Amino acid sequence: MNCNNLCYYCCQGPIGPTGAAGPQGIAGATGATGPTGPQGVAGATGATGPAGAQGPAGATGATGPTGAQGVAGPGFEPAYFNAAVNGGAQDVPAEGDVTFLLAYQSGDFAFTPNTSAITVNTAGVYRIDYTVTLRPENNQFNAAYAVAINGLENPLSFFGLYADNAADTQRAELSGSFITAIPAGATVALRNKSAYVDHLAGTGVDNQAVNRASILLQRIA
């Protein structure tokens, strides 16, 4: 074929085999940062860390308001009885009871003047005090007294006095004090527990009449 009269492409021969790859070209410039992707799924909760050190104590708070007053306790009404016999004299036989004349009380007792029995109307625990003023017999004081409750002497109530070589003008005071429970309606009496007659004297003390006997009952519970 005469290619002189044909176009260039019409006269091109077949494609030859692919040549060997040329050397790698230099890296191109870094492209722009792409947009941020969506947030991933939350991971599992980590282990609890150790407790931190204790912080300093906070300031003391303001004092709260005063609470309401509580209910009053039961308590009890005081009760008392005081009897005496002033001046003069009284001979009290062995196992005999002392008589009293004057009395002052709270109203919880029954007593007839010039008798020995005192009736306690309110049960409770009582303190009992008593005193007798003695004149010697044959130059000697030898006496013992106790308080009888419902006729029975209380073992805590026994008190005594002994002295020799006493002049007839001398006087001695014997006293006792104890605490005991007394039931309502009981009688109380001061009793001579000596083996002899006792001479109670309310005279001969500085020319003054004094109580030759006295007794005091006070409810304490």
Side-chain angles (χ1 to χ4, degrees):
M1 175 183 297
N2 187 0
C3 295
N4 291 331
N5 295 321
L6 298 175
C7 67
Y8 172 79
Y9 294 101
C10 293
C11 293
Q12 186 175 359
I15 297 172
T18 301
Q24 182 174 339
I26 60 174
T30 302
T33 301
T36 302
Q39 182 173 336
V41 178
T45 302
T48 302
Q54 181 173 338
T60 302
T63 302
T66 302
Q69 182 172 340
V71 178
F76 68 93
E77 290 293 327
Y80 51 86
F81 177 90
N82 187 195
V85 57
N86 184 269
Q90 178 185 352
D91 289 338
V92 185
E95 298 299 329
D97 295 337
V98 177
T99 60
F100 297 97
L101 179 61
L102 307 173
Y104 183 78
Q105 60 156 310
S106 62
D108 299 323
F109 304 84
F111 171 71
T112 301
N114 257 345
T115 62
S116 58
I118 302 161
T119 301
V120 178
N121 294 324
T122 303
V125 176
Y126 286 79
R127 171 174 172 162
I128 300 178
D129 299 85
Y130 65 84
T131 302
V132 292
T133 303
L134 300 166
R135 177 173 60 82
E137 174 73 15
N138 297 324
N139 303 113
Q140 186 181 76
F141 292 109
N142 189 12
Y145 280 78
V147 172
I149 300 174
N150 282 337
L152 300 176
E153 294 93 3
N154 188 296
L156 298 175
S157 69
F158 282 76
F159 291 87
L161 171 70
Y162 179 85
D164 275 327
N165 302 317
D168 187 63
T169 55
Q170 285 184 258
R171 300 291 182 265
E173 187 174 270
L174 187 159
S175 61
S177 177
F178 69 104
I179 294 173
T180 187
I182 301 178
T187 58
V188 175
L190 179 58
R191 182 165 296 166
N192 176 12
K193 294 302 295 179
S194 310
Y196 310 99
V197 175
D198 281 340
H199 306 290
L200 306 188
T203 59
V205 181
D206 196 24
N207 296 316
Q208 178 64 53
V210 297
N211 289 337
R212 64 177 186 254
S214 67
I215 190 167
L216 173 65
L217 285 71
Q218 300 176 85
R219 184 160 67 97
I220 59 175

PDB file of all heavy atoms in Angstrom, residues 186-202:
ATOM      1  N   ALA A 186     -49.757   2.488 160.143  1.00  0.00           N
ATOM      2  CA  ALA A 186     -48.912   1.956 161.218  1.00  0.00           C
ATOM      3  C   ALA A 186     -48.815   2.957 162.366  1.00  0.00           C
ATOM      4  O   ALA A 186     -48.924   4.171 162.175  1.00  0.00           O
ATOM      5  CB  ALA A 186     -47.522   1.640 160.685  1.00  0.00           C
ATOM      6  N   THR A 187     -48.580   2.447 163.575  1.00  0.00           N
ATOM      7  CA  THR A 187     -48.355   3.306 164.746  1.00  0.00           C
ATOM      8  C   THR A 187     -46.871   3.292 165.092  1.00  0.00           C
ATOM      9  O   THR A 187     -46.185   2.285 164.931  1.00  0.00           O
ATOM     10  CB  THR A 187     -49.165   2.811 165.958  1.00  0.00           C
ATOM     11  OG1 THR A 187     -48.796   1.460 166.260  1.00  0.00           O
ATOM     12  CG2 THR A 187     -50.652   2.909 165.682  1.00  0.00           C
ATOM     13  N   VAL A 188     -46.407   4.447 165.556  1.00  0.00           N
ATOM     14  CA  VAL A 188     -44.999   4.632 165.930  1.00  0.00           C
ATOM     15  C   VAL A 188     -44.951   5.102 167.375  1.00  0.00           C
ATOM     16  O   VAL A 188     -45.719   5.994 167.774  1.00  0.00           O
ATOM     17  CB  VAL A 188     -44.322   5.672 165.002  1.00  0.00           C
ATOM     18  CG1 VAL A 188     -42.901   5.966 165.462  1.00  0.00           C
ATOM     19  CG2 VAL A 188     -44.328   5.178 163.553  1.00  0.00           C
ATOM     20  N   ALA A 189     -44.036   4.522 168.175  1.00  0.00           N
ATOM     21  CA  ALA A 189     -43.891   4.919 169.579  1.00  0.00           C
ATOM     22  C   ALA A 189     -42.425   4.839 169.973  1.00  0.00           C
ATOM     23  O   ALA A 189     -41.683   3.976 169.484  1.00  0.00           O
ATOM     24  CB  ALA A 189     -44.738   4.034 170.485  1.00  0.00           C
ATOM     25  N   LEU A 190     -41.994   5.730 170.882  1.00  0.00           N
ATOM     26  CA  LEU A 190     -40.634   5.734 171.423  1.00  0.00           C
ATOM     27  C   LEU A 190     -40.646   4.950 172.736  1.00  0.00           C
ATOM     28  O   LEU A 190     -41.356   5.307 173.668  1.00  0.00           O
ATOM     29  CB  LEU A 190     -40.155   7.172 171.642  1.00  0.00           C
ATOM     30  CG  LEU A 190     -38.748   7.345 172.224  1.00  0.00           C
ATOM     31  CD1 LEU A 190     -37.705   6.667 171.344  1.00  0.00           C
ATOM     32  CD2 LEU A 190     -38.439   8.833 172.385  1.00  0.00           C
ATOM     33  N   ARG A 191     -39.824   3.896 172.813  1.00  0.00           N
ATOM     34  CA  ARG A 191     -39.920   2.931 173.919  1.00  0.00           C
ATOM     35  C   ARG A 191     -38.628   2.858 174.731  1.00  0.00           C
ATOM     36  O   ARG A 191     -37.525   2.863 174.183  1.00  0.00           O
ATOM     37  CB  ARG A 191     -40.258   1.555 173.354  1.00  0.00           C
ATOM     38  CG  ARG A 191     -40.444   0.450 174.390  1.00  0.00           C
ATOM     39  CD  ARG A 191     -41.134  -0.740 173.754  1.00  0.00           C
ATOM     40  NE  ARG A 191     -42.479  -0.362 173.319  1.00  0.00           N
ATOM     41  CZ  ARG A 191     -43.234  -1.098 172.502  1.00  0.00           C
ATOM     42  NH1 ARG A 191     -42.773  -2.245 172.038  1.00  0.00           N
ATOM     43  NH2 ARG A 191     -44.447  -0.689 172.176  1.00  0.00           N
ATOM     44  N   ASN A 192     -38.809   2.780 176.075  1.00  0.00           N
ATOM     45  CA  ASN A 192     -37.696   2.581 177.001  1.00  0.00           C
ATOM     46  C   ASN A 192     -37.298   1.100 176.975  1.00  0.00           C
ATOM     47  O   ASN A 192     -38.065   0.234 177.387  1.00  0.00           O
ATOM     48  CB  ASN A 192     -38.111   2.994 178.411  1.00  0.00           C
ATOM     49  CG  ASN A 192     -37.016   2.721 179.444  1.00  0.00           C
ATOM     50  OD1 ASN A 192     -35.880   2.441 179.098  1.00  0.00           O
ATOM     51  ND2 ASN A 192     -37.380   2.817 180.715  1.00  0.00           N
ATOM     52  N   LYS A 193     -36.081   0.813 176.500  1.00  0.00           N
ATOM     53  CA  LYS A 193     -35.602  -0.563 176.453  1.00  0.00           C
ATOM     54  C   LYS A 193     -34.620  -0.868 177.588  1.00  0.00           C
ATOM     55  O   LYS A 193     -33.926  -1.895 177.563  1.00  0.00           O
ATOM     56  CB  LYS A 193     -34.935  -0.837 175.098  1.00  0.00           C
ATOM     57  CG  LYS A 193     -35.896  -0.777 173.919  1.00  0.00           C
ATOM     58  CD  LYS A 193     -37.046  -1.763 174.048  1.00  0.00           C
ATOM     59  CE  LYS A 193     -36.583  -3.193 174.011  1.00  0.00           C
ATOM     60  NZ  LYS A 193     -37.710  -4.157 174.151  1.00  0.00           N
ATOM     61  N   SER A 194     -34.553   0.022 178.583  1.00  0.00           N
ATOM     62  CA  SER A 194     -33.716  -0.234 179.749  1.00  0.00           C
ATOM     63  C   SER A 194     -34.370  -1.282 180.635  1.00  0.00           C
ATOM     64  O   SER A 194     -35.565  -1.577 180.525  1.00  0.00           O
ATOM     65  CB  SER A 194     -33.517   1.055 180.557  1.00  0.00           C
ATOM     66  OG  SER A 194     -33.099   2.116 179.725  1.00  0.00           O
ATOM     67  N   ALA A 195     -33.577  -1.797 181.562  1.00  0.00           N
ATOM     68  CA  ALA A 195     -34.127  -2.747 182.546  1.00  0.00           C
ATOM     69  C   ALA A 195     -34.725  -2.022 183.745  1.00  0.00           C
ATOM     70  O   ALA A 195     -35.267  -2.665 184.650  1.00  0.00           O
ATOM     71  CB  ALA A 195     -33.029  -3.705 183.003  1.00  0.00           C
ATOM     72  N   TYR A 196     -34.628  -0.685 183.747  1.00  0.00           N
ATOM     73  CA  TYR A 196     -35.066   0.100 184.903  1.00  0.00           C
ATOM     74  C   TYR A 196     -35.945   1.255 184.448  1.00  0.00           C
ATOM     75  O   TYR A 196     -36.024   1.590 183.262  1.00  0.00           O
ATOM     76  CB  TYR A 196     -33.862   0.647 185.676  1.00  0.00           C
ATOM     77  CG  TYR A 196     -32.824  -0.399 185.995  1.00  0.00           C
ATOM     78  CD1 TYR A 196     -31.693  -0.531 185.205  1.00  0.00           C
ATOM     79  CD2 TYR A 196     -32.986  -1.266 187.087  1.00  0.00           C
ATOM     80  CE1 TYR A 196     -30.737  -1.505 185.490  1.00  0.00           C
ATOM     81  CE2 TYR A 196     -32.034  -2.227 187.389  1.00  0.00           C
ATOM     82  CZ  TYR A 196     -30.913  -2.347 186.586  1.00  0.00           C
ATOM     83  OH  TYR A 196     -29.973  -3.312 186.865  1.00  0.00           O
ATOM     84  N   VAL A 197     -36.560   1.908 185.436  1.00  0.00           N
ATOM     85  CA  VAL A 197     -37.322   3.127 185.174  1.00  0.00           C
ATOM     86  C   VAL A 197     -36.348   4.235 184.806  1.00  0.00           C
ATOM     87  O   VAL A 197     -35.308   4.411 185.446  1.00  0.00           O
ATOM     88  CB  VAL A 197     -38.145   3.534 186.414  1.00  0.00           C
ATOM     89  CG1 VAL A 197     -38.830   4.876 186.166  1.00  0.00           C
ATOM     90  CG2 VAL A 197     -39.169   2.465 186.760  1.00  0.00           C
ATOM     91  N   ASP A 198     -36.682   4.989 183.762  1.00  0.00           N
ATOM     92  CA  ASP A 198     -35.880   6.161 183.388  1.00  0.00           C
ATOM     93  C   ASP A 198     -36.608   7.420 183.829  1.00  0.00           C
ATOM     94  O   ASP A 198     -37.837   7.521 183.726  1.00  0.00           O
ATOM     95  CB  ASP A 198     -35.664   6.201 181.865  1.00  0.00           C
ATOM     96  CG  ASP A 198     -34.581   5.256 181.404  1.00  0.00           C
ATOM     97  OD1 ASP A 198     -33.734   4.855 182.228  1.00  0.00           O
ATOM     98  OD2 ASP A 198     -34.571   4.916 180.195  1.00  0.00           O
ATOM     99  N   HIS A 199     -35.816   8.399 184.287  1.00  0.00           N
ATOM    100  CA  HIS A 199     -36.369   9.679 184.728  1.00  0.00           C
ATOM    101  C   HIS A 199     -36.046  10.728 183.669  1.00  0.00           C
ATOM    102  O   HIS A 199     -34.894  11.128 183.510  1.00  0.00           O
ATOM    103  CB  HIS A 199     -35.782  10.080 186.082  1.00  0.00           C
ATOM    104  CG  HIS A 199     -35.930   9.026 187.138  1.00  0.00           C
ATOM    105  ND1 HIS A 199     -37.157   8.699 187.681  1.00  0.00           N
ATOM    106  CD2 HIS A 199     -35.012   8.219 187.735  1.00  0.00           C
ATOM    107  CE1 HIS A 199     -36.996   7.743 188.570  1.00  0.00           C
ATOM    108  NE2 HIS A 199     -35.697   7.424 188.626  1.00  0.00           N
ATOM    109  N   LEU A 200     -37.083  11.144 182.955  1.00  0.00           N
ATOM    110  CA  LEU A 200     -36.908  12.213 181.969  1.00  0.00           C
ATOM    111  C   LEU A 200     -37.102  13.550 182.663  1.00  0.00           C
ATOM    112  O   LEU A 200     -38.067  13.743 183.407  1.00  0.00           O
ATOM    113  CB  LEU A 200     -37.906  12.059 180.821  1.00  0.00           C
ATOM    114  CG  LEU A 200     -37.940  10.701 180.105  1.00  0.00           C
ATOM    115  CD1 LEU A 200     -38.845  10.784 178.873  1.00  0.00           C
ATOM    116  CD2 LEU A 200     -36.555  10.242 179.719  1.00  0.00           C
ATOM    117  N   ALA A 201     -36.178  14.480 182.405  1.00  0.00           N
ATOM    118  CA  ALA A 201     -36.207  15.769 183.107  1.00  0.00           C
ATOM    119  C   ALA A 201     -36.164  16.914 182.112  1.00  0.00           C
ATOM    120  O   ALA A 201     -35.256  16.986 181.269  1.00  0.00           O
ATOM    121  CB  ALA A 201     -35.035  15.864 184.074  1.00  0.00           C
ATOM    122  N   GLY A 202     -37.140  17.797 182.207  1.00  0.00           N
ATOM    123  CA  GLY A 202     -37.162  18.990 181.363  1.00  0.00           C
ATOM    124  C   GLY A 202     -36.783  20.239 182.128  1.00  0.00           C
ATOM    125  O   GLY A 202     -36.992  21.353 181.644  1.00  0.00           O
TER     126      GLY A 202
END
